[in-house]
């Protein structure tokens, strides 16, 4: 869904111990000052924050927010997949930090709300007047009328990055159609270059690729099927599944990709080992920093009946965005609420500064973008529909079963027909 070390903002109070001696046994006269300073230090608000987003922007923004409200910050970055496990355990044991980030989608948001461990933010949004800064429909109101989170990221989408240096060495061009993609995969393999790096271990990259292939067959296929107006065994789903099989059989991905972690696959791309990388738009900044002008981007190719700008796959939806939540058992719950809200607004400023659409009002001016990010922004402006990733629209249990099923398709355990038949059964049961 845009650092990787722990940061602590700590205000230290220097206590000077003065020992005065005199013949008359004079008293130490600065004890009162020392006590006042010690009390001030002890009473300073402390905020513990967990973040899974590796972009250094998050730590810098958190530090600035803590300084603004006069709080001590204990910042902890946790690698994405480790974070998911750690947060699940913390939710069950009610051992949460003061503020924590959560992934987009019902599969992740629902368990947080059901845990009854997060604090409503309505009072602080109103009392500080900061609630009015958020744009319409950007704060999620739950059925009980409460707002429990604030955004921590803008809506990001699936994109196709490529390595310009490798593309040039192959004498090839970025693909715009399914046939061109197939030809490029063959050329890369013939030259000993990995065509597409894919982190299959965590399942989500492969899952989103299948989502995109379906959308390129029929932009409305998923929405109609999930409403019961069509079936998951219909042509768009089967055709897209067959395309997955074709990609696997043509060695489009690195050897052992199903066991490759997301970050391992990313390293292959960043270090000139893989020609292409199918990932989220949230990585433009970090990839540009490492790869510079070698980073290329195109809209995902036309692989079916739909045109290139007919649709894309988004990492979140309005009901379950990337969010910051506040632990209702926090010892500094009021400070934590204000911190989360102010941090959300500061993050919004950073997105706007990069030339991206924000979720709140901002006085920040957009700065010049790099060429690839500008091209992406233009494409998003032309895109007719952003289909939220399927996983984010499913319950936690159904979402996990669905991703396990998709893994079996990529692993060759299921044919396209078998996969879509089981998909129909699973998602009907989940309704």
């Amino acid at each position: 869904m845009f650092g990787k070390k722990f940061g602590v903002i700590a205000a230290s109070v220097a206590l000077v111990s003065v020992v005065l001696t005199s013949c008359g046994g004079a008293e130490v006269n600065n004890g009162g000052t020392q006590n006042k300073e010690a009390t001030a230090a002890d009473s300073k608000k402390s905020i513990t924050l967990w973040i899974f987003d590796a972009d250094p922007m998050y730590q810098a923004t958190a530090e600035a927010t803590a300084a603004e409200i006069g709080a001590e910050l204990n910042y902890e970055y946790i690698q994405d997949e480790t974070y998911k496990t750690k947060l699940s355990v913390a939710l069950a044991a009610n051992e949460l930090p003061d503020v924590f980030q959560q992934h987009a989608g019902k599969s992740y948001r629902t368990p947080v709300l059901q845990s009854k461990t997060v604090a409503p933010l309505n009072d602080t949004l109103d009392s500080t007047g900061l609630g009015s800064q958020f744009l319409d429909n950007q704060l999620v109101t739950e059925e009980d009328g409460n707002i429990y989170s604030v955004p921590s990221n803008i809506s990001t989408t699936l994109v196709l990055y490529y390595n310009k240096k490798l593309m040039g060495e192959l004498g090839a061009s970025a693909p715009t159609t399914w046939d061109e993609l197939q030809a490029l995969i063959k050329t890369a393999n013939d030259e000993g270059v990995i065509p597409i790096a894919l982190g299959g271990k965590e399942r989500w990259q492969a899952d989103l690729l299948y989502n995109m292939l379906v959308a390129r067959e029929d932009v409305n296929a998923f929405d109609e099927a999930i409403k019961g107006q069509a079936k998951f065994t219909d042509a768009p789903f089967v055709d897209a599944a067959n395309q997955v099989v074709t990609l696997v059989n043509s060695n489009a991905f690195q050897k052992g990709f199903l066991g490759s972690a997301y970050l391992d696959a990313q390293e292959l791309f960043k270090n000139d080992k893989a020609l292409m990388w199918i990932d989220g738009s949230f990585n433009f900044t970090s990839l540009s920093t490492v790869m510079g002008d070698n980073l290329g981007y195109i809209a995902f190719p036309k692989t079916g009946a739909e045109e290139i700008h007919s649709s894309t796959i988004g990492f979140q939806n309005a009901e379950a965005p990337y969010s910051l939540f506040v632990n209702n058992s926090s010892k500094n719950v009021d400070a934590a609420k204000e911190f989360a809200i102010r941090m959300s607004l500061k993050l919004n400023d950073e997105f706007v500064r990069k030339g991206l659409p924000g979720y709140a009002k901002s006085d920040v001016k957009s700065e010049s973008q790099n060429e690839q990010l500008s091209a992406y922004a233009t494409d998003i402006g032309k895109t007719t529909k952003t289909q939220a990733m399927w996983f984010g629209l499913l319950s936690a249990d159904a979402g996990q079963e669905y991703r396990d099923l998709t893994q079996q398709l990529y692993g060759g355990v299921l044919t396209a027909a078998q996969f879509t038949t089981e998909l129909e059964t699973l998602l009907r049961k989940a309704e």
Side-chain angles (χ1 to χ4, degrees):
M1 75 138 97
F2 257 106
K4 288 193 176 184
K5 54 186 176 181
F6 301 158
V8 177
I9 298 177
S12 60
V13 178
L15 300 180
V16 181
S17 186
V18 181
V19 180
L20 298 177
T21 58
S22 68
C23 295
E27 295 180 354
V28 176
N29 63 10
N30 66 338
T33 302
Q34 285 183 338
N35 289 339
K36 289 179 181 179
E37 290 177 341
T39 300
D42 291 342
S43 64
K44 187 167 186 176
K45 300 181 289 290
S46 176
I47 303 293
T48 301
L49 171 66
W50 286 1
I51 292 288
F52 61 78
D53 198 305
D55 193 314
M57 174 185 73
Y58 281 81
Q59 182 169 351
T61 302
E63 290 172 348
T65 306
E68 183 177 285
I69 68 170
E72 179 182 271
L73 176 68
N74 297 297
Y75 181 95
E76 186 171 357
Y77 162 79
I78 305 164
Q79 193 276 328
D80 190 42
E81 291 304 313
T82 303
Y83 186 95
K84 292 172 184 175
T85 301
K86 183 170 183 175
L87 186 59
S88 294
V89 172
L91 284 170
N94 197 11
E95 296 178 349
L96 294 164
D98 299 300
V99 182
F100 61 94
Q101 187 183 23
Q102 182 55 305
H103 289 77
K106 285 176 60 179
S107 294
Y108 293 119
R109 186 180 182 87
T110 301
V112 172
L113 297 175
Q114 290 179 340
S115 72
K116 304 296 184 182
T117 59
V118 291
L121 306 178
N122 308 54
D123 55 347
T124 307
L125 287 165
D126 291 341
S127 64
T128 60
L130 296 174
S132 62
Q133 295 299 306
F134 293 90
L135 301 177
D136 291 345
N137 302 317
Q138 295 300 309
L139 295 176
V140 182
T141 302
E142 303 299 336
E143 292 182 359
D144 63 2
N146 285 318
I147 296 170
Y148 290 95
S149 68
V150 286
S152 68
N153 209 332
I154 58 174
S155 181
T156 53
T157 65
L158 196 67
V159 300
L160 181 59
Y161 299 107
Y162 69 93
N163 185 309
K164 289 183 178 179
K165 174 186 173 183
L166 290 180
M167 194 72 78
E169 291 176 353
L170 292 174
S173 301
T176 59
T177 66
W178 175 250
D179 289 342
E180 289 179 5
L181 178 61
Q182 288 298 297
L184 183 57
I185 289 169
K186 184 179 186 305
T187 298
N189 276 320
D190 289 346
E191 296 299 322
V193 176
I194 297 168
I196 304 171
L198 188 71
K201 184 177 181 180
E202 293 93 354
R203 304 172 300 164
W204 66 264
Q205 275 196 308
D207 165 24
L208 266 64
L209 175 54
Y210 176 65
N211 291 179
M212 177 65 88
L213 291 171
V214 171
R216 285 297 159 85
E217 294 294 329
D218 182 346
V219 67
N220 296 311
F222 178 80
D223 288 344
E224 291 175 354
I226 204 69
K227 293 175 183 176
Q229 299 169 357
K231 293 183 177 181
F232 291 99
T233 51
D234 289 347
F237 301 96
V238 177
D239 291 345
N242 275 316
Q243 288 178 321
V244 167
V245 173
T246 298
L247 289 171
V248 173
N249 290 342
S250 64
N251 297 318
F253 314 119
Q254 75 274 23
K255 185 177 180 180
F257 73 92
L258 285 177
S260 293
Y262 168 76
L263 291 179
D264 294 335
Q266 187 184 72
E267 287 301 307
L268 291 174
F269 177 67
K270 287 162 57 175
N271 293 307
D272 299 340
K273 302 296 184 184
L275 179 62
M276 291 175 282
W277 171 246
I278 300 171
D279 193 30
S281 58
F282 48 77
N283 259 325
F284 269 105
T285 301
S286 60
L287 290 175
S288 294
T289 300
V290 175
M291 299 176 67
D293 292 338
N294 277 341
L295 179 66
Y297 151 82
I298 58 166
F300 196 81
K302 174 181 167 64
T303 57
E306 297 284 357
E307 296 300 322
I308 285 178
H309 292 117
S310 64
S311 66
T312 190
I313 301 299
F315 284 75
Q316 63 177 312
N317 59 72
E319 292 76 29
Y322 286 99
S323 298
L324 294 175
F325 287 92
V326 174
N327 178 4
N328 60 16
S329 297
S330 168
K331 293 180 180 179
N332 294 304
V333 65
D334 290 335
K337 288 181 180 182
E338 183 174 356
F339 172 87
I341 295 167
R342 291 187 181 278
M343 179 175 173
S344 174
L345 291 170
K346 286 184 182 296
L347 286 171
N348 175 77
D349 285 346
E350 293 307 308
F351 297 132
V352 173
R353 195 188 313 279
K354 292 177 179 180
L356 298 169
Y359 46 74
K361 300 173 186 176
S362 178
D363 294 328
V364 170
K365 300 299 182 183
S366 173
E367 297 177 353
S368 60
Q369 303 171 347
N370 65 51
E371 180 184 350
Q372 305 309 313
L373 186 55
S374 294
Y376 168 74
T378 298
D379 284 339
I380 285 299
K382 296 177 182 177
T383 301
T384 304
K385 178 177 181 177
T386 298
Q387 168 70 63
M389 61 180 181
W390 303 0
F391 181 83
L393 300 172
L394 303 173
S395 67
D397 290 342
Q400 295 301 336
E401 287 187 64
Y402 158 65
R403 282 192 169 165
D404 287 341
L405 189 63
T406 305
Q407 193 86 332
Q408 294 180 58
L409 174 67
Y410 278 84
V413 177
L414 298 174
T415 65
Q418 290 169 333
F419 168 74
T420 52
T421 296
E422 293 198 25
L423 184 65
E424 170 72 13
T425 300
L426 171 63
L427 297 190
R428 284 295 161 248
K429 182 177 66 176
E431 289 179 343

